[in-house]
Amino acid sequence: MDPSSQVKKILIVEDDDSHAELIRRGFCENSELYQLTVATSLQEALASVQSQNFDIVLTDYLLPDGSGVDLVQKSARITPVVIMTSHGNEQLAVDAMKAGALDYVVKMPEVFGAMPRIVERALREWELMLEHKQAEEALLLQTRRLEHEVAERQLAQEALQAQALLLQNEIAERRQAQETLRLSEEKFSKAFDNAPMIMTITTRESGTFLDVNNRFLEVSGWDRSEVIGKSTTEVGWISSADRALLFESLNRDGHISGMALNLHPRGGRTIKAELYIETITVDGRERLLGIAIDVTERHKLEEQLRHSQKLEAVGLLAGGVAHDFNNILTVIGGYCEMLKLDLAPDTPLREKLMQISAAAERASNLTRSLLAFSRKGEVKAAPADLNLLVRGVERFLQRIIGEDITLSTSVPERSIWAVVDSGQIDQVLMNLAANARDAMPKGGRLFVELQHQEIDAAFVHAHGFGTPGEYALLTVSDTGEGMDEETRNRIFDPFFTTKVAGKGTGLGLAIVYGIVIQHKGFVNVYSEPGVGTTFRIYLPLVQPEKDCRSEAVAVEPCVRGSETILVAEDDPHVLDLVTSVLGQYGYSIIHAANGAEAVEKFRENDRIKLVLMDIIMPVMNGKEAADQIRRLRPEARILFTSGYTAEIIMSRCDLEEGAELIMKPVKPALLLKKVREMLDLTAQESSRGGGT
Ligand code: ADP
Ligand code: MG
C-alpha cells in the first residue's frame, strides 16, 4: 500500500498557541491525510512519543521546560524529528541537526503554508535514510558473516592441511609397515614352504590343519587336500593320547620345545620326531605353528653305536679267553698229531684219534671265530669258491639239525667266489643251523641258498643298510617259531638268549655278527612269530682266480735226527708238547723257561745246534735272547715260534729279514720238517767250510 495514502500521525511540539494554530492551518487543505497532536512542553512531548507511534515530530527549538534538542536526542532514532527555529537562530538549528534532527525549518509565514510539503519531504528522506541504514546494516551483517565465514574457512583449511599432513605421514608409515609386513610375510612363507623340517599351522582348539609345508607332504605321503580342514588325530598324524599330552604341556608352558613324539604318516609307518610348537597370530586369531624334526635316523645310529660299543666290550673279554684257549688246543692238537705218527696205519684206534683231532680243529675254528668277533684275531682270508664251501658244510649241517628237519641247499650254476676265512663261514652256517634246530623242536624245513646279489644305492635307501657293490648272498631260512620285534632287536647282543639256562649261551649270533663284519659284509634278519626266520648274509665278491685253492701240504714221512736243540718256551704245556715231539724223533732237548735262561744254557752247552725260540716270554723276550746268542756264536741257528701273525711280529719286534718263523698252534709234522731243514743247512755249510 502506498504509505503516502495513509493518514500520517504528526506530533507538533509548540508552546506558542498562535504558532501552533498557524501550523495546523498549514495542514488543513488535506486534513484527512494528517492527524495532528499538539504538545506544549518537553515533558508532554516525551510522554507522547513514548506512548504512541508518530510518523514525524515537529518541534520548536525553545520549549518552556527545555530544548527541542533534548527531544531530538531522546527520540530521533525511532521517529524523525524536524526542528523549528525563529529567524536568526539558524546556528541552533545546525546544532540540532548534529544531534540527530532530520531537518530544520525557520518559522516564517510562508513556511507554515508549506508544512505538508516539508513533512512529506522529511518523511521521504527518513524513508531513504532508513533504507540506507538497513542496507548498510545488511551489508555490514553480510560483511561480518562473510568475514566470519572466511575466518572459519581459513580455520577449516588449516585444520584440513594439518590433517592432510598427518594423513601423508600416516600413509608413509603405513606404506613402510606394509612393506615390512610384506617382506616378513614373504620371508615366512618361503621359509615355511621350503624348510627342511616338517611345518604345520593348526587351530588351537581342535588341531585342525590350516596349512602344511612341502616337507610335511613329502614325509607324510598325503596330499594337501587330504589333510587341510581335518584334525591331526582324524588323519592319524598324532595319536589321541599324544595329543592329550601336547595339550597339557601347551596349557602349562604356553609352548612346546623339543618334545619327543611319534608321528604316523600314511601307510602305518612311525617316525620318531622332536616337536616344537609356538602360538602365532594369523588374521587376528591364535594359531599353532608346529615344527617337527625327523630323528628316526639319529635314533637308529645311536642304537647302532650302543650296540657296537657293547660288542666291543664283550669282544675284549672273548678275545682274552680265546687266546688262552688257543694254547690248550695247541696241546690237544699236537698230541693227536704225535699219536697219528705213532699209530700203525691199520689200527682201529686211528679212527677215534681222527675224531678227537677233528673236534680239536673245530674248537680251534671256534676260537678263531671268537677272535674274529673280538676283532683281534687274524682272519685267514683267501679267495674261496662259496659253492664248494656250501656243499662241503652240508653234511655237518644235517648232523646238527637232526632227522626231523629237512635241509635243502641250493647254489647257482656258476661258482661264486669271495675272500673268506672258510672255517669261519662254516661256523656262521653251523651257528645259524643250530638256532634253526632250536626254533623247530617238532621238525620243519631249513633252506640254505647261495646267490649272486648286486646292491645299489636304491637298495641301500630302501633297506636302510649296506654299501653298494656286488655280493655273495647266503640265505638261511627256517620254518620255526620266529621272533617278535623285541627279540629281533637284541639277537646279536652277546649273551642275549631266550633259551633255558644250560641250553643257550647267547653267543651264537654275536659270533656270526663279528665274523660277517670282519669280512666287510653285513647281516640282516627277517622274522615273524609263528612263521619262521630268514637270515641273509652278504659277503663282498671277488673275481675268481686260478689256483687259489690252497691244498693241504701232503704229509711226508718225517726224518729223524740226533742233534741237541734248545727249546725256549714259557708255556709249560706247549713246552711239553714240543719236547716230546722232538724227543720222539731222536733229538736231545735242553729246556729254558725264558730268554735269559736260554742265553745262559746256550753259553753252557756248545752241543746246541738249534734254538727253538718263543718270541713273547717273560724276563727277556725271544728277540733279545737271540741277539745275545748271536753275539756268542754268530752262526747259531734260531727258529722263532709265535701265536701272532708274521706281520705283527715283524712290526713289533723287528726281527731281521729272512728270520725263520713257525706259527702256533705248532703242527708237529711241520715242526719236524722245519727243524730238519735248518739242521741240514748248517751241516752243509760246515762241511763246505771244513773242505776249504
Ligand atoms: P642262543 O642260541 O645261545 O640263545 P644266539 O645268539 O644264537 O644265542 O641266539 C640268540 C637268540 O636269538 C635266541 O635265544 C633266540 O631267541 C633267537 N633266535 C636266533 N635264531 C633264531 C631262529 N632261527 N628262530 C627263532 N629265534 C631265533
Ligand atoms: Mg645259538
Side-chain angles (χ1 to χ4, degrees):
M1 198 191 306
D2 180 8
S4 61
S5 65
Q6 268 182 332
V7 177
K8 309 248 172 22
K9 288 173 78 178
I10 301 169
L11 175 66
I12 295 159
V13 188
E14 182 59 76
D15 58 329
D16 188 328
D17 289 340
S18 58
H19 281 174
E21 189 49 36
L22 281 170
I23 294 167
R24 195 192 302 274
R25 276 197 204 149
F27 286 104
C28 67
E29 255 181 56
N30 294 305
S31 62
E32 76 283 1
L33 292 178
Y34 305 99
Q35 183 191 332
L36 305 179
T37 309
V38 177
T40 58
S41 68
L42 180 62
Q43 291 306 321
E44 199 186 336
L46 284 172
S48 297
V49 166
Q50 275 160 17
S51 61
Q52 303 173 50
N53 284 328
F54 291 99
D55 290 307
I56 193 163
V57 178
L58 302 172
T59 181
D60 191 14
Y61 184 80
L62 268 176
L63 292 173
D65 54 349
S67 157
V69 177
D70 293 334
L71 189 60
V72 168
Q73 278 171 345
K74 290 200 167 116
S75 65
R77 260 181 286 135
I78 332 159
T79 316
V81 181
V82 176
I83 289 282
M84 298 178 293
T85 58
S86 339
H87 182 65
N89 282 341
E90 282 89 351
Q91 188 50 46
L92 295 173
V94 172
D95 291 345
M97 296 267 301
K98 278 183 188 158
L102 185 70
D103 204 356
Y104 77 93
V105 289
V106 179
K107 285 192 264 186
M108 286 188 298
E110 61 271 25
V111 169
F112 293 126
M115 241 18 193
R117 232 177 348 101
I118 290 166
V119 164
E120 291 302 333
R121 197 187 64 206
L123 280 176
R124 258 201 314 278
E125 203 167 315
W126 178 252
E127 201 75 30
L128 275 173
M129 222 170 71
L130 272 186
E131 271 174 21
H132 185 71
K133 220 172 169 174
Q134 270 174 6
E136 213 168 62
E137 262 169 26
L139 207 66
L140 201 75
L141 253 174
Q142 207 168 350
T143 308
R144 291 239 179 85
R145 233 183 18 236
L146 272 170
E147 272 172 6
H148 190 73
E149 216 167 284
V150 166
E152 265 182 3
R153 278 210 192 156
Q154 227 159 23
L155 268 176
Q157 210 168 355
E158 268 165 29
L160 219 65
Q161 261 167 7
Q163 211 169 346
L165 211 73
L166 232 75
L167 261 163
Q168 263 171 11
N169 275 345
E170 208 167 300
I171 286 171
E173 265 170 22
R174 273 210 199 154
R175 234 183 242 152
Q176 182 71 43
Q178 257 168 1
E179 180 68 6
T180 314
L181 194 70
R182 197 184 57 73
L183 264 176
S184 84
E185 268 173 6
E186 193 180 313
K187 275 193 287 195
F188 176 74
S189 97
K190 270 221 177 100
F192 184 82
D193 284 340
N194 305 319
M197 306 88 96
I198 298 161
M199 291 177 93
T200 60
I201 295 177
T202 54
T203 61
R204 197 190 165 94
E205 306 71 33
S206 57
T208 302
F209 283 111
L210 298 173
D211 200 358
V212 294
N213 73 344
N214 293 333
R215 182 77 183 136
F216 172 91
L217 299 176
E218 244 169 63
V219 171
S220 73
W222 282 304
D223 243 27
R224 185 177 292 276
S225 59
E226 289 174 288
V227 293
I228 301 295
K230 297 208 182 100
S231 82
T232 49
T233 45
E234 204 178 329
V235 296
W237 180 240
I238 293 176
S239 73
S240 310
D242 280 346
R243 170 138 182 83
L245 271 178
L246 279 180
F247 235 116
E248 205 184 291
S249 281
L250 255 179
N251 288 339
R252 191 184 50 233
D253 309 329
H255 66 107
I256 285 176
S257 171
M259 183 190 246
L261 187 83
N262 284 341
L263 297 173
H264 310 280
R266 151 179 264 152
R269 275 189 311 130
T270 296
I271 293 175
K272 291 204 182 308
E274 225 169 68
L275 188 69
Y276 298 79
I277 293 183
E278 287 293 342
T279 306
I280 57 169
T281 309
V282 182
D283 296 335
R285 308 188 62 176
E286 279 204 343
R287 303 302 191 202
L288 298 181
L289 171 66
I291 300 177
I293 299 171
D294 184 350
V295 292
T296 317
E297 207 54 37
R298 199 172 78 196
H299 264 262
K300 233 192 251 169
L301 285 176
E302 281 169 2
E303 204 47 55
Q304 276 173 7
L305 183 66
R306 258 201 293 284
H307 188 235
S308 61
Q309 279 171 341
K310 208 157 27 175
L311 289 184
E312 194 76 36
V314 179
L316 276 172
L317 186 74
V321 173
H323 203 266
D324 290 346
F325 196 55
N326 220 10
N327 277 339
I328 300 170
L329 287 175
T330 302
V331 177
I332 297 175
Y335 280 108
C336 281
E337 293 290 317
M338 281 166 60
L339 271 175
K340 269 188 224 167
L341 297 169
D342 285 351
L343 288 176
D346 49 354
T347 167
L349 282 179
R350 201 173 183 85
E351 173 54 27
K352 291 181 185 132
L353 181 61
M354 295 306 265
Q355 289 294 340
I356 298 174
S357 179
E361 185 65 32
R362 276 207 297 280
S364 172
N365 279 341
L366 179 60
T367 9
R368 272 220 304 285
S369 306
L370 271 173
L371 282 170
F373 166 62
S374 76
R375 311 208 188 155
K376 280 241 179 61
E378 155 216 10
V379 179
K380 289 188 185 153
D385 181 343
L386 295 185
N387 294 42
L388 284 182
L389 187 145
V390 170
R391 287 293 175 213
V393 82
E394 218 176 339
R395 216 160 27 89
F396 283 115
L397 298 186
Q398 187 64 65
R399 211 178 299 154
I400 289 170
I401 58 180
E403 281 154 15
D404 292 342
I405 296 170
T406 323
L407 171 69
S408 323
T409 42
S410 105
V411 293
E413 263 175 36
R414 278 188 59 186
S415 284
I416 292 182
W417 289 73
V419 177
V420 295
D421 183 327
S422 303
Q424 291 194 352
I425 302 302
D426 284 353
Q427 188 72 52
V428 165
L429 290 173
M430 288 196 272
N431 286 6
L432 293 178
N435 282 344
R437 175 203 57 208
D438 294 344
M440 298 185 283
K442 297 198 184 89
R445 305 193 63 181
L446 175 66
F447 303 89
V448 177
E449 196 181 353
L450 175 66
Q451 284 165 291
H452 173 264
Q453 169 94 47
E454 190 176 330
I455 287 185
D456 53 14
F459 178 97
V460 175
H461 185 76
H463 293 83
F465 70 88
T467 320
E470 305 241 340
Y471 289 86
L473 168 58
L474 265 172
T475 310
V476 178
S477 35
D478 64 57
T479 56
E481 59 206 14
M483 12 177 175
D484 57 16
E485 193 185 342
E486 211 188 316
T487 305
R488 211 162 55 227
N489 286 336
R490 301 188 56 196
I491 53 173
F492 294 113
D493 288 3
F495 306 117
F496 171 78
T497 180
T498 56
K499 294 166 194 172
V500 291
K503 193 118 200 280
T505 59
L507 274 176
L509 289 179
I511 289 174
V512 166
Y513 181 86
I515 291 174
V516 172
I517 294 299
Q518 194 122 31
H519 280 81
K520 299 194 170 53
F522 35 90
V523 54
N524 168 251
V525 60
Y526 181 79
S527 185
E528 295 282 348
V531 179
T533 303
T534 299
F535 282 93
R536 289 201 176 78
I537 288 157
Y538 299 81
L539 300 168
L541 275 193
V542 284
Q543 295 313 314
E545 281 172 35
K546 275 184 198 146
D547 293 332
C548 38
R549 272 187 289 158
S550 55
E551 260 320 306
V553 211
V555 184
E556 299 159 23
C558 294
V559 185
R560 298 176 65 86
S562 58
E563 292 89 342
T564 300
I565 298 172
L566 173 63
V567 178
E569 168 66 64
D570 62 321
D571 185 320
H573 302 289
V574 176
L575 182 68
D576 279 355
L577 168 68
V578 171
T579 310
S580 60
V581 169
L582 295 173
Q584 258 197 342
Y585 276 77
Y587 298 100
S588 301
I589 304 299
I590 296 172
H591 295 177
N594 59 55
E597 206 181 310
V599 176
E600 205 49 48
K601 294 252 166 93
F602 187 83
R603 198 200 313 272
E604 290 166 5
N605 285 287
D606 50 5
R607 286 178 291 126
I608 292 170
K609 293 284 184 295
L610 178 79
V611 184
L612 190 63
M613 182 79 82
D614 188 19
I615 293 179
I616 313 293
M617 282 186 295
V619 186
M620 182 188 290
N621 72 33
K623 160 79 171 129
E624 275 174 45
D627 288 347
Q628 293 201 12
I629 287 173
R630 286 263 156 72
R631 249 171 264 144
L632 291 172
R633 229 197 289 162
E635 74 281 8
R637 290 279 163 197
I638 299 172
L639 173 58
F640 292 99
T641 63
S642 173
Y644 293 95
T645 64
E647 287 95 47
I648 293 177
I649 298 298
M650 295 297 175
S651 68
R652 287 273 178 80
C653 311
D654 63 354
L655 282 190
E656 66 264 32
E657 280 286 321
E660 297 289 351
L661 185 66
I662 187 163
M663 305 304 290
K664 283 185 193 170
V666 176
K667 291 241 165 40
L670 203 67
L671 176 67
L672 287 169
K673 185 167 170 261
K674 194 87 197 167
V675 165
R676 197 60 254 156
E677 272 174 19
M678 289 183 72
L679 289 170
D680 288 349
L681 211 65
T682 317
Q684 277 170 28
E685 278 173 6
S686 58
S687 71
R688 234 181 285 141
T692 46

